[in-house]
Amino acid sequence: GENVEQHPSTLSVQEGDSAVIKCTYSDSASNYFPWYKQELGKGPQLIIDIRSNVGEKKDQRIAVTLNKTAKHFSLHITETQPEDSAVYFCAATPPTYQKVTFGTGTKLQVIP
Amino acid sequence: DGGITQSPKYLFRKEGQNVTLSCEQNLNHDAMYWYRQDPGQGLRLIYYSQIVNDFQKGDIAEGYSVSREKKESFPLTVTSAQKNPTAFYLCASSPTGRASGYTFGSGTRLTVV
């Protein structure tokens, strides 16, 4: 089955700096890669996603890159703000069914 | 507004009791899922359903049961056979056909007392 590794597990940045979270996956058939943000005591929320036919996608301060050959994808947050503090999960989805494999999460702390 | 609603937000269970967590969605999604999250941990899949009247076990189904009698509803029962049920439970839904992101509920925090 699919295996997703996520690094780092914790990340502290100064407000205004950039943050990068990296994930690798094992199943080359996976073709959809969402990222979720989970604030304390709440459910995860989809913040950005990328499909395997695209190398990069941006939405304001966040961007995701995908390297299919190396089987890794990354989340980039620029100009970080205190409200970006949360746990971020990456995920990989195979094309044949909807069962998603999640990474173990990264706790991001933005220091004012 | 469309969304997914979990209730209750907090639930306390005595040893040996069964409890049922509610999950309702009005997004017209075919697929629904239950995840368990322990403090500082990731998401572990309990059960999932891709269509009404059908569901499959996830990675940690022992001690849990589900039903899917309506498209909108996917309740989870935590039975007395689940030895360590204290956790944060998350329900999610998604359309089928093309891989899409999940919509999650706000979660139910279950505590054994």
Side-chain angles (χ1 to χ4, degrees):
Chain A
E2 175 67 276
N3 181 49
V4 176
E5 295 189 358
Q6 182 172 346
H7 300 281
S9 56
T10 60
L11 179 60
S12 291
V13 299
Q14 293 289 331
E15 182 178 357
D17 288 349
S18 296
V20 180
I21 302 170
K22 298 182 179 181
C23 289
T24 61
Y25 62 100
S26 60
D27 187 352
S28 57
S30 290
N31 66 352
Y32 174 71
F33 306 91
W35 285 88
Y36 295 87
K37 175 184 180 181
Q38 185 178 26
E39 297 177 345
L40 193 62
K42 298 183 179 180
Q45 181 180 15
L46 177 70
I47 56 171
I48 196 167
D49 56 13
I50 191 167
R51 299 190 186 272
S52 58
N53 59 347
V54 176
E56 182 177 1
K57 184 177 179 180
K58 294 181 74 173
D59 183 3
Q60 299 183 343
R61 294 187 298 108
I62 61 173
V64 57
T65 59
L66 172 64
N67 184 325
K68 284 186 63 180
T69 303
K71 288 189 282 189
H72 67 71
F73 56 112
S74 300
L75 178 71
H76 305 253
I77 305 174
T78 59
E79 301 173 16
T80 54
Q81 301 169 2
E83 51 265 38
D84 295 329
S85 296
V87 178
Y88 292 81
F89 291 97
C90 65
T93 309
T96 52
Y97 56 95
Q98 291 289 309
K99 187 178 176 186
V100 172
T101 301
F102 287 90
T104 50
T106 295
K107 184 175 182 179
L108 173 64
Q109 180 185 22
V110 179
I111 304 166
Chain B
D1 288 337
I4 184 165
T5 302
Q6 289 187 242
S7 61
K9 189 172 179 64
Y10 299 96
L11 186 58
F12 297 90
R13 191 193 93 168
K14 293 183 179 180
E15 295 276 357
Q17 277 186 339
N18 292 354
V19 291
T20 297
L21 284 57
S22 171
C23 179
E24 303 276 336
Q25 55 99 358
N26 60 2
L27 299 165
N28 199 34
H29 287 169
D30 286 310
M32 298 187 73
Y33 315 82
W34 275 105
Y35 284 89
R36 170 178 172 145
Q37 188 174 35
D38 292 285
Q41 302 297 312
L43 302 168
R44 292 189 289 169
L45 182 64
I46 305 172
Y47 269 98
Y48 65 103
S49 167
Q50 294 185 295
I51 196 168
V52 175
N53 293 322
D54 187 45
F55 49 83
Q56 286 77 42
K57 293 182 179 180
D59 302 318
I60 57 165
E62 185 176 353
Y64 300 96
S65 66
V66 293
S67 63
R68 186 82 188 280
E69 298 176 0
K70 298 188 301 181
K71 186 175 184 178
E72 301 78 19
S73 179
F74 192 40
L76 173 73
T77 296
V78 184
T79 74
S80 57
Q82 171 49 241
K83 298 306 178 187
N84 185 22
T86 295
F88 189 51
Y89 290 87
L90 287 160
C91 180
S93 70
S94 73
T96 55
R98 186 177 189 226
S100 303
Y102 288 1
T103 300
F104 281 89
S106 55
T108 292
R109 188 166 301 280
L110 173 63
T111 303
V112 173
V113 296

